[in-house]
Amino acid sequence: MVRKLIAGNWKMNGLKADLETIRQVSAHVNSGETAPETLLCVPATLLSAAAETARGTALAVGGQTCSKLEKGAFTGDISAPMLAEAGATYVIVGHSERRTGHGETDAEVAGQAAAALKSGLTPIICVGETLAEREAGATLRIIESQLRGSLEGLETAGSFVIAYEPLWAIGTGKVATTGQIAEVHGFIRAFLAGRYGAPGNAVRILYGGSLNPSNAPEILPVPNVDGGLIGGASLKAADFLSIYETARALQV
Ligand code: PEP
């Protein structure tokens, strides 16, 4: 069985006082094959302190985006080596808020994933359709095209994670049905197995979109759901840990 990954995305939330959440989460989570992996992707300003707070525990910390380049005249951008030096071991790339708000294309995302890997970070590559695309019956075509573009140049599986995040479910309180999730995750699995062979079956595919303690028991057991990428509900230790416990019960 693939070890589940319960990952939080704090987005542009978090000041030093919120390190208390890191402390509470890291004090609770377990290491070992029977426990899900846990990760909190915090704002870059908190990374070093969060890594320090979580040091020696099973909680990993990660970034929320990175440049495809290592350094240079790119005001405001952050590179993968910078994230790694600050203590990140993962980085989210291609989140829909970056794709839509910052014009990041599949090619850009592929470059970011490659840069992350070069710095020893595991990229979590996000894909997902808009409501209009779903209603037009184009969901699987969009997902396939995003996968093809965002995985361009990534020749081996095993070093990255995919997150399926339907845009209409992110931060809206609307959750995809288990049938919709099963269909898309099954499609992504078949794509990965077709492209990478057997190692494609071990790539973790996370669901993201208004995942919370109440719906996690229904969503996390869906076939090919290997964990979650959680926004709002990752900001409170109790909520995040409740989702973690649901995943833990499924892991054994
Ligand atoms: C996300 O930002 O990746 C996300 C899934 O957010 P939320 O859980 O708040 O919908």
Side-chain angles (χ1 to χ4, degrees):
M1 184 197 265
V2 178
R3 192 169 169 212
K4 290 198 189 300
L5 171 62
I6 299 300
N9 174 14
W10 279 15
K11 313 192 186 193
M12 198 172 72
N13 298 291
L15 297 170
K16 272 190 193 154
D18 300 297
L19 291 171
E20 176 56 18
T21 305
I22 303 279
R23 198 194 58 70
Q24 288 172 11
V25 170
S26 60
H28 182 100
V29 295
N30 302 101
S31 52
E33 284 303 305
T34 56
E37 257 189 82
T38 48
L39 164 70
L40 285 173
C41 294
V42 298
T45 48
L46 280 187
L47 256 179
S48 293
E52 189 53 41
T53 305
R55 187 198 290 272
T57 75
L59 177 68
V61 297
Q64 300 175 5
T65 186
C66 68
S67 171
K68 63 182 178 190
L69 302 169
E70 273 184 27
K71 60 179 175 180
F74 303 100
T75 304
D77 287 353
I78 187 153
S79 72
M82 291 170 182
L83 295 176
E85 190 180 70
T89 50
Y90 282 83
V91 61
I92 299 167
V93 294
H95 191 283
S96 61
E97 288 155 13
R98 302 290 313 173
R99 288 177 184 266
T100 49
H102 297 263
E104 292 179 358
T105 61
D106 288 331
E108 187 81 24
V109 174
Q112 294 168 340
L117 286 166
K118 198 170 162 209
S119 288
L121 301 174
T122 301
I124 300 177
I125 302 166
C126 302
V127 295
E129 81 287 1
T130 63
L131 187 57
E133 288 162 347
R134 174 161 284 277
E135 286 175 350
T139 298
L140 299 183
R141 188 172 55 74
I142 294 294
I143 299 297
E144 179 171 1
S145 139
Q146 289 178 343
L147 287 172
R148 280 193 194 289
S150 306
L151 292 174
E152 182 72 45
L154 296 194
E155 299 310 337
T156 49
S159 50
F160 61 86
V161 174
I162 300 290
Y164 168 55
E165 300 206 304
L167 270 64
W168 47 273
I170 295 179
T172 58
K174 283 189 198 142
V175 187
T177 65
T178 52
Q180 290 169 330
I181 296 171
E183 182 191 30
V184 178
H185 279 240
F187 178 82
I188 295 173
R189 176 67 67 216
F191 177 93
L192 294 170
R195 182 173 168 132
Y196 297 106
N201 289 320
V203 174
R204 285 178 294 190
I205 308 171
L206 312 184
Y207 169 76
S210 299
L211 193 57
N212 63 36
S214 312
N215 58 35
E218 201 188 338
I219 292 173
L220 292 177
V222 171
N224 294 305
V225 172
D226 305 309
L229 182 54
I230 303 144
S234 71
L235 295 170
K236 283 197 192 132
D239 287 354
F240 185 76
L241 288 172
S242 165
I243 299 170
Y244 164 79
E245 285 300 338
T246 299
R248 190 150 80 126
L250 292 165
Q251 188 80 45
V252 285

